[in-house]
Coordinates of all heavy atoms in Angstrom, one line a residue:
M233 N 109.4 41.2 66.1 CA 110.4 42.2 65.8 C 109.6 43.2 64.9 O 108.9 42.9 64.0 CB 111.6 41.7 65.0 CG 112.9 42.2 65.5 SD 114.2 41.4 64.8 CE 115.3 42.7 64.7
S234 N 109.8 44.5 65.2 CA 109.2 45.5 64.3 C 109.8 45.6 62.9 O 111.0 45.4 62.7 CB 109.2 46.9 64.9 OG 108.9 47.8 63.9
N235 N 109.0 45.8 61.8 CA 109.6 45.8 60.4 C 110.3 46.9 60.1 O 111.2 47.0 59.2 CB 108.4 45.5 59.5 CG 108.0 44.1 59.5 OD1 108.8 43.1 59.6 ND2 106.7 43.8 59.3
T236 N 110.0 48.1 60.7 CA 110.6 49.4 60.3 C 111.0 50.2 61.6 O 110.5 49.9 62.6 CB 109.8 50.3 59.4 OG1 108.6 50.7 60.1 CG2 109.3 49.4 58.1
L237 N 111.8 51.1 61.4 CA 112.1 52.0 62.4 C 111.2 53.2 62.5 O 111.1 53.9 63.5 CB 113.6 52.7 62.2 CG 114.7 51.8 62.1 CD1 115.9 52.7 61.5 CD2 115.0 51.4 63.5
S238 N 110.2 53.2 61.5 CA 109.4 54.4 61.5 C 108.4 54.7 62.7 O 108.2 55.8 63.0 CB 108.5 54.4 60.2 OG 109.2 54.6 59.0
S239 N 108.2 53.6 63.3 CA 107.2 53.8 64.5 C 108.0 54.0 65.9 O 107.4 54.2 66.9 CB 106.3 52.6 64.6 OG 107.0 51.4 64.9
A240 N 109.3 54.1 65.8 CA 110.1 54.2 66.9 C 110.1 55.7 67.5 O 110.0 56.6 66.8 CB 111.5 53.8 66.7
P241 N 109.8 55.8 68.8 CA 109.8 57.2 69.3 C 111.1 58.0 69.1 O 112.1 57.4 69.2 CB 109.4 57.1 70.8 CG 109.8 55.6 71.1 CD 109.7 54.8 69.9
M242 N 110.9 59.3 68.9 CA 112.2 60.2 68.7 C 111.8 61.5 69.1 O 110.6 62.0 68.9 CB 112.5 60.1 67.2 CG 113.8 60.9 66.9 SD 114.2 60.8 65.2 CE 115.3 62.2 65.1
S243 N 112.7 62.3 69.7 CA 112.4 63.6 70.1 C 113.6 64.6 69.8 O 114.8 64.0 69.7 CB 112.1 63.8 71.6 OG 113.0 63.3 72.3
I244 N 113.2 65.8 69.4 CA 114.4 66.8 69.3 C 114.1 67.9 70.1 O 113.0 68.3 70.5 CB 114.4 67.3 67.8 CG1 113.1 67.8 67.2 CG2 114.8 66.0 66.8 CD1 113.1 68.7 66.0
P245 N 115.1 68.6 70.6 CA 115.0 69.9 71.4 C 114.5 71.0 70.4 O 115.0 71.2 69.4 CB 116.3 70.2 71.9 CG 117.3 69.6 71.0 CD 116.6 68.4 70.3
C246 N 113.5 71.8 70.9 CA 113.0 72.9 70.1 C 114.2 74.1 70.1 O 114.6 74.4 71.3 CB 111.8 73.6 70.7 SG 111.2 75.1 69.9
P247 N 114.6 74.5 69.0 CA 115.6 75.6 68.8 C 115.1 76.9 69.5 O 115.9 77.8 69.8 CB 115.9 75.8 67.4 CG 115.1 74.8 66.6 CD 114.0 74.2 67.6
S248 N 113.9 77.0 69.6 CA 113.2 78.4 70.1 C 113.0 78.3 71.6 O 113.4 79.3 72.3 CB 112.0 78.5 69.4 OG 111.3 79.6 69.9
C249 N 112.6 77.3 72.2 CA 112.3 77.3 73.7 C 113.1 76.1 74.5 O 113.0 76.1 75.7 CB 110.8 77.1 74.0 SG 110.1 75.5 73.6
G250 N 113.7 75.2 73.6 CA 114.5 74.3 74.3 C 113.8 73.0 74.8 O 114.4 71.9 75.2
R251 N 112.3 73.1 74.8 CA 111.5 71.8 75.3 C 111.7 70.8 74.2 O 111.9 71.0 73.0 CB 110.1 72.2 75.5 CG 109.9 73.5 76.3 CD 110.1 73.1 77.8 NE 108.8 72.5 78.4 CZ 107.8 73.4 78.8 NH1 107.9 74.7 78.6 NH2 106.7 73.0 79.5
E252 N 111.5 69.5 74.6 CA 111.5 68.4 73.7 C 110.2 68.4 72.9 O 109.1 68.6 73.3 CB 111.5 67.0 74.5 CG 112.8 66.9 75.3 CD 113.9 66.4 74.4 OE1 113.9 65.3 73.9 OE2 114.8 67.3 74.4
I253 N 110.4 68.0 71.5 CA 109.3 67.8 70.6 C 109.3 66.3 70.3 O 110.2 65.8 69.7 CB 109.5 68.6 69.3 CG1 109.6 70.1 69.6 CG2 108.2 68.4 68.4 CD1 110.1 70.9 68.4
K254 N 108.2 65.6 70.8 CA 108.1 64.1 70.8 C 107.4 63.8 69.5 O 106.2 64.1 69.4 CB 107.7 63.7 72.1 CG 108.4 63.8 73.2 CD 107.9 63.0 74.5 CE 108.8 63.3 75.7 NZ 108.1 64.1 76.7
K255 N 108.0 63.1 68.7 CA 107.3 62.4 67.4 C 107.9 61.1 67.3 O 108.4 60.4 68.3 CB 107.7 63.3 66.2 CG 107.2 64.7 66.3 CD 105.7 64.8 66.0 CE 105.1 66.3 66.1 NZ 103.7 66.3 66.1
T256 N 107.9 60.5 66.0 CA 108.4 59.3 65.8 C 109.5 59.4 64.7 O 109.6 60.6 64.0 CB 107.3 58.3 65.2 OG1 106.8 58.9 64.0 CG2 106.2 58.0 66.2
V257 N 110.4 58.5 64.5 CA 111.3 58.4 63.4 C 110.7 58.8 62.2 O 111.1 59.6 61.4 CB 112.2 57.1 63.4 CG1 113.0 57.1 62.2 CG2 113.0 57.0 64.7
G258 N 109.6 58.1 61.9 CA 108.8 58.2 60.6 C 108.4 59.7 60.4 O 108.5 60.2 59.3
Y259 N 108.0 60.3 61.4 CA 107.5 61.7 61.4 C 108.8 62.7 60.8 O 108.6 63.3 59.8 CB 107.0 62.3 62.5 CG 106.5 63.7 62.5 CD1 105.1 63.9 62.2 CD2 107.4 64.8 62.5 CE1 104.6 65.1 62.0 CE2 106.8 66.1 62.2 CZ 105.5 66.3 62.1 OH 105.0 67.6 61.8
F260 N 109.8 62.4 61.5 CA 111.1 63.3 61.1 C 111.6 62.9 59.8 O 112.1 63.8 59.0 CB 112.1 63.3 62.2 CG 111.8 63.9 63.6 CD1 111.5 63.2 64.7 CD2 111.6 65.3 63.6 CE1 111.2 63.9 65.8 CE2 111.2 66.0 64.7 CZ 111.1 65.2 65.9
K261 N 111.3 61.7 59.4 CA 111.8 61.4 58.1 C 110.8 62.0 56.9 O 111.3 62.4 55.9 CB 111.7 59.8 57.9 CG 112.4 59.2 56.7 CD 112.2 57.7 56.6 CE 110.9 57.3 55.9 NZ 110.9 55.8 55.7
L262 N 109.5 62.0 57.1 CA 108.7 62.4 56.2 C 108.4 63.8 56.1 O 107.8 64.3 55.0 CB 107.4 61.6 56.4 CG 107.4 60.1 56.1 CD1 106.1 59.4 56.5 CD2 107.9 59.7 54.7
H263 N 108.6 64.7 57.1 CA 108.0 66.0 57.2 C 109.2 67.1 57.0 O 110.3 66.7 57.5 CB 107.2 66.4 58.5 CG 106.0 65.6 58.5 ND1 105.9 64.3 58.8 CD2 104.7 66.0 58.3 CE1 104.6 63.9 58.8 NE2 104.0 64.9 58.5
S264 N 109.0 68.2 56.3 CA 109.9 69.2 56.1 C 109.9 70.2 57.3 O 110.8 71.1 57.3 CB 109.9 69.7 54.7 OG 108.6 70.3 54.6
D265 N 108.9 70.1 58.1 CA 108.9 71.0 59.2 C 108.1 70.4 60.4 O 107.3 69.4 60.2 CB 108.4 72.5 58.9 CG 107.0 72.5 58.4 OD1 106.4 71.5 58.2 OD2 106.5 73.6 58.3
V266 N 108.2 70.9 61.6 CA 107.5 70.4 62.7 C 107.1 71.6 63.6 O 107.9 72.6 63.7 CB 108.4 69.4 63.5 CG1 109.7 70.0 64.0 CG2 107.6 68.7 64.6
G267 N 105.9 71.6 64.2 CA 105.5 72.6 65.1 C 105.8 72.2 66.5 O 105.5 71.1 67.0
C268 N 106.4 73.2 67.3 CA 106.7 72.9 68.7 C 105.4 73.0 69.5 O 104.6 73.9 69.4 CB 107.6 73.9 69.2 SG 107.9 73.7 71.1
T269 N 105.1 72.0 70.3 CA 103.8 71.9 71.1 C 103.8 72.8 72.3 O 102.8 73.2 72.9 CB 103.5 70.4 71.5 OG1 104.7 69.8 72.0 CG2 103.0 69.6 70.4
S270 N 105.1 73.2 72.8 CA 105.2 74.1 73.8 C 105.0 75.5 73.5 O 104.3 76.3 74.1 CB 106.5 73.9 74.5 OG 106.6 72.5 74.9
C271 N 105.9 76.0 72.4 CA 105.9 77.5 72.2 C 105.3 77.8 70.8 O 105.0 79.0 70.5 CB 107.3 78.0 72.2 SG 108.3 77.4 70.8
G272 N 104.9 76.8 70.0 CA 104.3 77.0 68.8 C 105.1 77.3 67.6 O 104.6 77.6 66.4
A273 N 106.4 77.4 67.8 CA 107.4 77.7 66.7 C 107.3 76.7 65.6 O 107.1 75.4 66.0 CB 108.8 77.9 67.3
R274 N 107.4 77.1 64.4 CA 107.6 76.1 63.2 C 109.1 75.9 63.0 O 109.8 76.9 62.9 CB 107.0 76.6 61.9 CG 105.5 76.8 61.8 CD 104.7 75.6 62.0 NE 104.9 74.4 61.2 CZ 104.2 73.2 61.4 NH1 103.4 73.1 62.4 NH2 104.5 72.2 60.6
I275 N 109.5 74.7 63.1 CA 111.0 74.4 62.9 C 111.1 73.6 61.6 O 110.5 72.7 61.3 CB 111.6 73.6 64.1 CG1 111.4 74.3 65.3 CG2 112.9 73.2 63.8 CD1 110.5 73.8 66.4
A276 N 112.0 74.3 60.7 CA 112.2 73.6 59.4 C 113.3 72.4 59.6 O 114.2 72.5 60.4 CB 112.9 74.6 58.5
L277 N 112.9 71.3 59.0 CA 113.8 70.2 59.3 C 114.6 69.8 58.0 O 114.0 69.6 56.9 CB 112.9 68.9 59.6 CG 112.0 69.0 60.8 CD1 111.0 67.8 60.7 CD2 112.9 69.0 62.0
D278 N 116.0 69.8 58.1 CA 116.8 69.6 57.1 C 117.2 68.1 57.2 O 118.1 67.7 57.8 CB 118.1 70.4 57.2 CG 119.1 70.0 56.0 OD1 118.7 69.4 55.1 OD2 120.3 70.5 56.1
N279 N 116.2 67.3 56.5 CA 116.3 65.8 56.9 C 116.6 64.9 55.7 O 116.4 63.8 55.7 CB 114.9 65.4 57.5 CG 113.7 65.6 56.5 OD1 114.0 66.1 55.5 ND2 112.6 65.3 56.9
S280 N 117.3 65.5 54.6 CA 117.4 64.6 53.4 C 118.4 63.5 53.8 O 118.3 62.4 53.4 CB 117.9 65.4 52.3 OG 119.0 66.2 52.6
E281 N 119.6 63.8 54.6 CA 120.5 62.8 54.9 C 120.0 61.8 55.9 O 120.1 60.5 55.8 CB 121.7 63.4 55.4 CG 122.9 62.5 55.6 CD 124.1 63.2 56.3 OE1 124.2 64.4 56.5 OE2 125.1 62.3 56.7
F282 N 119.1 62.4 56.9 CA 118.5 61.6 57.9 C 117.6 60.5 57.1 O 117.5 59.4 57.4 CB 117.6 62.4 58.8 CG 116.9 61.7 59.9 CD1 117.6 60.9 60.8 CD2 115.5 61.6 59.8 CE1 117.0 60.3 61.9 CE2 114.9 60.9 60.9 CZ 115.6 60.2 61.9
R283 N 116.8 61.1 56.2 CA 115.8 60.2 55.5 C 116.5 59.0 54.6 O 116.2 57.9 54.8 CB 115.1 61.1 54.4 CG 114.0 60.2 53.7 CD 113.0 61.2 52.9 NE 113.7 62.1 52.1 CZ 113.5 63.4 52.0 NH1 112.7 63.9 52.9 NH2 114.2 64.1 51.1
R284 N 117.7 59.4 54.0 CA 118.5 58.4 53.3 C 119.0 57.3 54.3 O 118.9 56.1 54.0 CB 119.7 59.0 52.7 CG 119.5 59.3 51.2 CD 120.8 59.6 50.4 NE 121.7 60.4 51.1 CZ 121.8 61.8 51.1 NH1 120.8 62.4 50.4 NH2 122.6 62.5 51.7
N285 N 119.4 57.8 55.5 CA 120.1 56.8 56.4 C 119.0 55.9 57.1 O 119.2 54.7 57.3 CB 120.9 57.5 57.4 CG 122.1 58.2 56.9 OD1 122.7 57.5 56.0 ND2 122.6 59.2 57.4
V286 N 117.8 56.6 57.3 CA 116.7 55.7 57.9 C 116.2 54.7 56.9 O 116.1 53.6 57.3 CB 115.5 56.6 58.4 CG1 114.3 55.8 58.7 CG2 115.9 57.5 59.6
N287 N 116.2 55.1 55.7 CA 115.7 54.3 54.6 C 116.7 53.0 54.4 O 116.3 51.9 54.4 CB 115.5 54.9 53.2 CG 114.2 55.7 53.2 OD1 113.4 55.5 54.0 ND2 114.2 56.6 52.3
R288 N 118.0 53.3 54.4 CA 119.0 52.4 54.4 C 118.9 51.3 55.7 O 119.0 50.1 55.6 CB 120.4 53.0 54.3 CG 121.5 51.9 54.2 CD 123.0 52.5 54.2 NE 122.9 53.7 53.3 CZ 123.6 54.7 53.6 NH1 124.3 54.9 54.7 NH2 123.7 55.8 52.8
A289 N 118.7 52.0 56.8 CA 118.6 51.1 58.1 C 117.4 50.3 58.0 O 117.4 49.1 58.5 CB 118.6 52.0 59.2
D290 N 116.4 50.8 57.5 CA 115.0 50.1 57.2 C 115.2 48.9 56.4 O 114.7 47.7 56.6 CB 113.9 50.9 56.6 CG 113.0 51.6 57.8 OD1 113.1 51.1 58.9 OD2 112.4 52.6 57.4
R291 N 116.0 49.1 55.2 CA 116.3 47.9 54.4 C 117.2 46.9 55.2 O 116.9 45.6 55.1 CB 117.1 48.4 53.1 CG 116.2 49.0 52.1 CD 116.9 49.1 50.8 NE 118.0 50.0 50.8 CZ 118.0 51.3 50.7 NH1 117.0 52.0 50.6 NH2 119.2 51.9 50.7
E292 N 118.1 47.2 55.9 CA 118.9 46.4 56.6 C 118.1 45.6 57.7 O 118.2 44.4 57.8 CB 120.1 47.1 57.4 CG 121.1 47.6 56.5 CD 121.9 46.6 55.6 OE1 122.1 45.5 56.3 OE2 122.1 46.7 54.4
L293 N 117.2 46.3 58.4 CA 116.3 45.8 59.3 C 115.4 44.7 58.7 O 115.2 43.7 59.3 CB 115.4 46.8 60.0 CG 114.8 46.6 61.3 CD1 115.8 46.0 62.3 CD2 114.1 47.8 61.8
S294 N 114.9 44.9 57.5 CA 114.0 43.8 56.9 C 114.8 42.7 56.5 O 114.4 41.5 56.6 CB 113.2 44.4 55.7 OG 113.4 45.6 55.3
K295 N 116.1 42.9 56.0 CA 117.0 41.8 55.8 C 117.3 41.0 57.0 O 117.2 39.7 57.1 CB 118.4 42.4 55.2 CG 118.8 41.9 53.9 CD 120.2 42.4 53.7 CE 120.3 43.7 53.0 NZ 121.7 44.1 52.7
L296 N 117.5 41.6 58.1 CA 117.7 41.0 59.4 C 116.4 40.2 59.9 O 116.5 39.1 60.3 CB 118.0 42.0 60.5 CG 118.2 41.4 61.9 CD1 119.4 40.5 62.0 CD2 118.4 42.6 62.9
N297 N 115.2 40.7 59.7 CA 114.0 40.1 59.9 C 113.9 38.8 59.2 O 113.5 37.7 59.7 CB 112.8 41.0 59.7 CG 112.4 41.9 60.8 OD1 112.8 41.6 62.0 ND2 112.1 43.2 60.5
R298 N 114.3 39.0 57.9 CA 114.1 37.7 57.0 C 115.1 36.6 57.6 O 114.8 35.4 57.6 CB 114.6 38.0 55.6 CG 113.3 38.6 54.8 CD 113.4 38.6 53.4 NE 114.6 39.3 52.9 CZ 114.7 40.5 52.6 NH1 113.6 41.3 52.9 NH2 115.9 41.1 52.2
E299 N 116.3 36.9 57.9 CA 117.3 36.1 58.5 C 116.7 35.4 59.9 O 116.9 34.3 60.0 CB 118.6 36.7 58.8 CG 119.4 37.1 57.5 CD 119.7 35.9 56.6 OE1 120.0 34.8 57.1 OE2 119.4 36.0 55.4
V300 N 116.1 36.2 60.7 CA 115.6 35.8 62.0 C 114.5 34.7 61.6 O 114.5 33.6 62.2 CB 115.0 36.9 62.8 CG1 114.1 36.4 64.0 CG2 116.2 37.8 63.4
D301 N 113.6 34.9 60.6 CA 112.5 34.1 60.3 C 113.1 32.7 59.8 O 112.6 31.7 60.1 CB 111.6 34.6 59.2 CG 110.8 35.7 59.8 OD1 110.6 35.9 61.0 OD2 110.2 36.5 59.0
K302 N 114.2 32.9 58.9 CA 114.9 31.7 58.3 C 115.4 30.8 59.4 O 115.2 29.6 59.4 CB 115.9 32.2 57.3 CG 116.1 31.3 56.2 CD 117.0 31.9 55.2 CE 118.5 31.6 55.5 NZ 119.4 32.5 54.6
F303 N 116.1 31.4 60.3 CA 116.7 30.8 61.4 C 115.8 30.1 62.2 O 115.8 28.8 62.7 CB 117.6 31.6 62.2 CG 118.4 31.0 63.2 CD1 119.5 30.2 63.0 CD2 118.2 31.3 64.6 CE1 120.3 29.6 64.0 CE2 118.9 30.6 65.7 CZ 119.9 29.8 65.3
N304 N 114.6 30.8 62.4 CA 113.6 30.3 63.5 C 112.9 29.1 62.7 O 112.7 28.1 63.4 CB 112.6 31.4 63.6 CG 111.7 31.1 64.7 OD1 110.7 30.3 64.5 ND2 111.9 31.8 65.9
R305 N 112.7 29.2 61.5 CA 112.0 28.0 60.8 C 112.8 26.8 60.8 O 112.4 25.7 61.0 CB 111.8 28.4 59.3 CG 110.4 29.1 59.1 CD 110.0 29.1 57.5 NE 111.0 29.4 56.6 CZ 111.2 30.8 56.3 NH1 110.5 31.7 56.8 NH2 112.2 31.1 55.5
E306 N 114.1 27.0 60.6 CA 115.1 25.8 60.6 C 115.1 25.3 62.0 O 115.2 24.0 62.2 CB 116.6 26.5 60.3 CG 117.7 25.3 60.3 CD 117.4 24.3 59.2 OE1 116.7 24.4 58.4 OE2 118.2 23.3 59.2
M307 N 115.1 26.0 63.0 CA 115.2 25.5 64.4 C 113.9 24.8 64.7 O 113.9 23.7 65.4 CB 115.4 26.5 65.4 CG 116.7 27.3 65.4 SD 118.2 26.1 65.5 CE 118.0 25.5 67.2
R308 N 112.7 25.2 64.2 CA 111.5 24.6 64.4 C 111.5 23.3 63.7 O 111.0 22.2 64.1 CB 110.3 25.4 63.8 CG 109.8 26.4 64.7 CD 108.8 27.4 64.0 NE 108.7 28.6 64.6 CZ 108.0 28.9 65.8 NH1 107.2 28.0 66.3 NH2 107.9 30.0 66.4
R309 N 112.1 23.2 62.5 CA 112.2 22.0 61.7 C 113.0 20.8 62.5 O 112.6 19.8 62.6 CB 112.9 22.3 60.4 CG 112.7 21.3 59.3 CD 113.4 21.6 57.9 NE 114.8 21.7 58.2 CZ 115.7 20.7 58.3 NH1 115.1 19.4 58.1 NH2 117.0 20.9 58.4
L310 N 114.1 21.3 63.1 CA 114.9 20.5 63.9 C 114.2 20.0 65.2 O 114.2 18.9 65.6 CB 116.1 21.1 64.3 CG 117.2 21.3 63.3 CD1 118.3 22.2 63.8 CD2 117.7 20.1 62.6
A311 N 113.4 20.9 65.8 CA 112.7 20.6 67.1 C 111.5 19.6 66.8 O 111.1 18.9 67.7 CB 112.2 21.8 67.6
R312 N 111.0 19.5 65.5 CA 109.9 18.6 65.2 C 110.2 17.1 65.6 O 109.3 16.4 66.0 CB 109.5 18.8 63.8 CG 108.0 18.9 63.5 CD 107.7 19.3 62.1 NE 107.9 20.7 61.9 CZ 108.2 21.3 60.7 NH1 108.6 20.5 59.7 NH2 108.3 22.6 60.6
K313 N 111.5 16.8 65.4 CA 111.9 15.5 65.7 C 111.6 15.0 67.1 O 111.4 13.8 67.3 CB 113.6 15.4 65.6 CG 114.0 15.4 64.2 CD 115.5 15.2 64.3 CE 116.2 16.0 63.2 NZ 117.7 16.1 63.4
F314 N 111.4 15.9 68.1 CA 111.2 15.5 69.4 C 109.8 15.5 69.8 O 109.5 15.3 70.9 CB 112.0 16.5 70.3 CG 113.5 16.5 70.1 CD1 114.0 17.5 69.3 CD2 114.3 15.5 70.5 CE1 115.4 17.5 69.0 CE2 115.6 15.5 70.2 CZ 116.2 16.5 69.4
R315 N 108.9 15.7 68.8 CA 107.4 15.7 69.2 C 106.9 14.3 68.9 O 107.4 13.6 68.1 CB 106.7 16.7 68.5 CG 106.8 18.1 69.2 CD 105.7 19.1 68.8 NE 105.6 19.3 67.5 CZ 106.0 20.5 66.8 NH1 106.5 21.4 67.6 NH2 105.8 20.8 65.6
Ligands
ZN576 ZN1 109.4 75.5 71.4

């Protein structure tokens, strides 16, 4: 399981030409603007709420990862009996 959402692919439509701008969740979280690869327009990103929500989801995701590991370890412990 991936530890964060930051490497997940994400795209937005360019407000100037309508073509998709493909980046990652991490890019849109960290940058205040993005350049369109099709028409070259600079697009300002109002991402403060997005950043907060991604950070919160990342924290939940690491919590979930820890639970998955814990459960996995417990199951391995039980399975050891059969070896
Ligand atoms: Zn464009």
Side-chain angles (χ1 to χ4, degrees):
M233 231 174 142
S234 166
N235 284 323
T236 67
L237 292 172
S238 290
S239 58
M242 178 178 167
S243 60
I244 58 165
C246 171
S248 170
C249 72
R251 307 281 273 281
E252 293 286 292
I253 303 169
K254 294 186 180 116
K255 297 280 181 191
T256 59
V257 169
Y259 185 93
F260 289 113
K261 189 181 90 169
L262 294 173
H263 292 77
S264 55
D265 63 357
V266 61
C268 174
T269 42
S270 303
C271 73
R274 292 304 299 175
I275 297 115
L277 301 169
D278 178 13
N279 60 0
S280 54
E281 192 184 349
F282 180 68
R283 186 165 55 231
R284 265 199 312 279
N285 288 328
V286 171
N287 285 342
R288 185 184 308 141
D290 268 340
R291 282 196 300 276
E292 291 298 318
L293 198 56
S294 3
K295 240 188 270 177
L296 177 64
N297 277 323
R298 284 198 297 278
E299 289 304 316
V300 167
D301 287 347
K302 210 167 88 186
F303 185 69
N304 195 284
R305 274 199 308 277
E306 180 64 13
M307 293 311 287
R308 277 170 203 279
R309 200 179 60 78
L310 291 172
R312 227 174 274 150
K313 284 186 215 163
F314 301 102
R315 282 206 295 260

